[in-house]
Structure formats: structure tokens, C-alpha cells
Amino acid sequence: MPVFTPGRRWQPPFMPFKRETFGNRVLEATERWVKGPLFGCRMCGNCLLQETAFICSMECPKGARNGPCGGSTKEHCYVDETRPCIWYRIYERAFKMGRQEMLLEVLPPLDWDKVGTETWGDVARQIGKVGIKTFVTGLLSSDPHKRTFVWDAVFRPVRQPEWWQGDAEYHSPKYTEPVSQLERRLKAGEFVVTCEVAPPQTVATNKLNSNIDMVRPYVAAINFTDCPSATPRMSSWACSSMAIQRGAEPVMQIAARDRTRIGLQAEVLGANALGVRNILCLSGDSMKLAPDPRGRMDVIDLDSVQMLWILRKMRDEGKYLDGRAMKFPPKYFLGAAASPFASEPKFQALRENKKVNAGAQFFQTNLVYDADRLDDWLNEMAKRDILGKVYILIGITPLKSYKVAKYMNDEVPGVTVPDVLMKRMEAAGDGAAEEGVKIALELIEKIRTKQGVNGFHIMAVGWEEIVPRIVTEAGLLPPDFVPPAAKEAPPAKA
């Protein structure tokens, strides 16, 4: 196990994808043999140890470089339960060292032309540009501002290449008029409800269309999941396009797990041309949850924070990731997932802060079954002054049975069902579904008045027919609600 990184090496170091000179190979070998035992270094070519409290983030099985996934826990990594969540440990050490604000800097994805090569040479060259004398005297200075300035002058250009230029600042949208109906409603101060409709597992769309028509009058927008549990279904952009054709407002979910940086930009442009104006960026469930045979479980090309950063710059600056200018930039309302209960509230609030800085304009949270504990997370968000910069929709899922409740509590990362609710569902027996609806309505009533809450996101998990009832009985019907026309009964037989 590495000395400074609290976890066994996840995989062997990367190898270069090109022929290197003898001098570079010697430097790479030296760096690998020094940093390997100390940090479990994988030779990613863009070392971030300064920003991650000297714990290598590449120990994360997902390869997340900007913070934990929604399944982060204090106990273990949900992908590999034999090891700790490396990002929980990074946050823990950063807070102890007083370096937590450094974690807000949006860090770049890997440059695969540099993967497997050394970083020390880049640092040495940057010191040469700054000046060896300036660097040494700066580090030895008693002025902390001068030390920080000199340090950043060397290391920032190394970790933030020209094509990325990430920072730790909030970037407000560069447009004023809402680009979607969901954004318009939220900006107008409307308390909104969104819901999920599960994409079909076949090419048949009858049920999909009927579900869209059923929930459309009751919600501001409809989410279409992007292969949840790493299981293939009809694509979110296709379902979103069909929703638009039926007069519904879609939220297209897009998971980093299945995207390269090229695929992300291309897919978003295509979806935008088809009329999609709301995009929810997710890291995606690990391939561990997928059916056999499983795909790659080690490194994702992008994480959700990097997705937000890329899409925000495409929209607001009209630039591709590679710097090319776009004549007609896309227009969209950017969202992200939030996990109030995945780990400590202050850790999660920092993670959400980073997403807001990167470009998130609205959050749809993971499932919430404890209204009181939600206050801890909201309070930490308030301390970071981000409640006024993002709209928050709290995730609600009605429990259909005790078995479902147990699965949610035991198997779904970042979700906890309190014991009191588990006992209620178990005691309900055959009436568990009705008890689940009752619990959902109680949660809505407790949460709706909390500061910073702008609405609810109902995830029915294949139980879409319950959405109209929950919205109606909770008193959450939209202001422009028009009751759907009753279906005509078939003519009586003579």
C-alpha cells in the first residue's frame, strides 16, 4: 500500500502511447519508482497531488479527478468494497490541513498524449521560465502571498493547460432570457415538479408515449434516464426528441460513463438541434452494477464536473474543447445531480459548490427519505453562499414495497431509508404501496418550505402512473394545469 495514499494501487502505471527518448524514459522510470511507493502513482501525465491533499485521485476506480461520485461513503468505495473511498479520504485530509478550498479548482481530464509520461520535466521547464533564483527566493520568503504566487507561477500552468484553464470561481450564464420552459418557470419563482419516465428496453414506444402523455400536464419537465445501473435502454436523446414531438419539456440525462470528450460535444449539438434545452450531467453508475459481461470499470474519459465545464464554455464562449470557435453555439439549461446523504454534509456541499462553479444551474438530488437530515446539507450549502446560484429539486421516490425499500437502503449508493420508515413498510404488508405513497406525501409536506428548495423531482422507477396522484394530493399542480381529457369509454355492444 502506498505511504501517503490510503489504498492499495488500483492498477499498474500507464505506459506511454508513443516512443520516448532515452532521457525521458529515464526520467519517467525515476518518477514512477519514487511516486509509486509513496502515492500509488499511475503516471497519468498531469499530477494533481498539490490540489488533492497529496492523495492520488487516480486511485479512484472511476478515475474521477474532480471529487467523489454520488456513491461516496465513509466506510468504503462502492465499486470495490475492499478499499476506502479515495475521495472521502482526500476531503477528510484536506479539511484537516485547511486546504479544502483548493478542491474547488476545476481540474482537466487526462491528455492521453501525455499519459504514461513524466510530470517532473514539465515542472523543471516551468521553473526555468519563472527563473530558478525567483523560484527559490520566493519559496524562502517570509511573505505567504509571495510564496503562493511563485508556487502557482510554476505549478498552475502544468496542471491547467491552455486548452482547459480551469479555476475555482463561479461563472454565471452569459445570457439573460430563459432558454427552456423549465428555466423560465424557476426564474419566475414557480415551485416546480419534474419526474422521470423510464426509457424502454426495446424499440416499442407505445408505453413510453402513453407515460409521457399521462404525466405531461402535472409536471414542468420530464427526465429520461441514461442507461441507469449501467444497463442498456433506449437513449435519452431519442426519448427527449419524442417528448418534444408530444408537447412535453424534456430533461436529457447524459452519463459520463459512456462518453468520450468528442462524443459528448457531438451528442449535445445534435440534441440541441432537435430542440432539447435541458441537460442533466451525471458521472453515471459504475459498470459494477451492469449485467455480465461488464465493460471497463477503471477510468472514465470525463467526470460530471468536466462535462459541465465543457458544455458551459460551448454555450457561453462558443468554443469547442480544442479551442475552435463555433459560429452558432448551442443553448441549454445545465443541471447536475446532488447527493445530500452520500457522506458528510460539508463534503457534499463542497462537491456541489464545485459543480455550481463549473456551470450547474439546477440540481436534482438523489433520493431523500429523511427530511430532518436534509437541513444539515442545506445549511452547509448556505454557508458556501450557493443557494442563490442554483435551483434545487429534491428527489422523491414512492416506495412500492418493503422489498423495494430494503433494496434502496442496502444497494443504492448514497441512499438511506431510516429505520422508522423501513418498519412502517414492513408492517404495511399488502398495503405497502399505499404506505409508500403516504410516506412520499409526508416528506413533500416537510421539505417544501425549507430554504433553498425550489421543487421536487419524482423518480417513480417504473411506477409512472402514481405521479399524477402524488402531484395532485401534495397540492403541487402547476399554475397552468389543465386536467387531461377523460378517455371515452368504448361503445356498448348491441
Side-chain angles (χ1 to χ4, degrees), residues 91 94-104 350 384:
Y91 274 40
F95 271 85
K96 287 179 179 178
M97 297 172 67
R99 298 168 63 93
Q100 65 270 21
E101 298 308 308
M102 296 182 69
L103 297 175
L104 287 175
L350 179 63
R384 293 199 156 271

Side-chain angles (χ1 to χ4, degrees), residues 201 227-233 257 285-297:
Q201 300 186 59
C227 300
S229 300
T231 302
R233 286 176 174 267
R257 176 199 59 232
D285 294 325
S286 166
M287 275 290 178
K288 178 183 179 177
L289 303 180
D292 292 331
R294 294 181 174 130
R296 287 195 65 169
M297 298 169 64

Side-chain angles (χ1 to χ4, degrees), residues 416-458:
T416 301
V417 182
D419 288 342
V420 63
L421 298 188
M422 293 292 291
K423 290 176 181 176
R424 283 177 61 178
M425 290 299 295
E426 186 175 20
D430 293 339
E434 188 62 30
E435 188 69 16
V437 172
K438 185 179 178 181
I439 289 171
L441 292 171
E442 291 171 0
L443 287 168
I444 289 172
E445 189 61 30
K446 291 179 181 178
I447 294 171
R448 66 190 303 172
T449 57
K450 293 183 183 294
Q451 180 187 7
V453 174
N454 304 102
F456 290 99
H457 178 52
I458 302 176

Side-chain angles (χ1 to χ4, degrees), residues 113-144:
D113 189 47
K114 294 178 67 63
V115 165
T117 65
E118 44 75 31
T119 304
W120 287 353
D122 292 337
V123 173
R125 284 185 285 273
Q126 193 59 32
I127 290 175
K129 291 180 181 179
V130 171
I132 298 175
K133 182 178 179 181
T134 301
F135 179 67
V136 174
T137 56
L139 290 184
L140 297 177
S141 172
S142 59
D143 184 352

Side-chain angles (χ1 to χ4, degrees), residues 265 310 313-326 329:
Q265 296 170 91
I310 292 169
K313 293 186 74 171
M314 287 175 66
R315 181 195 65 198
D316 293 346
E317 300 177 21
K319 291 182 179 179
Y320 287 102
L321 176 61
D322 57 24
R324 287 176 298 139
M326 306 173 71

Side-chain angles (χ1 to χ4, degrees), residues 11-28:
Q11 280 195 342
F14 294 109
M15 296 299 290
F17 284 85
K18 57 187 177 182
R19 180 71 176 174
E20 294 280 87
T21 64
F22 176 76
N24 282 349
R25 293 203 304 273
V26 170
L27 193 56
E28 288 162 11

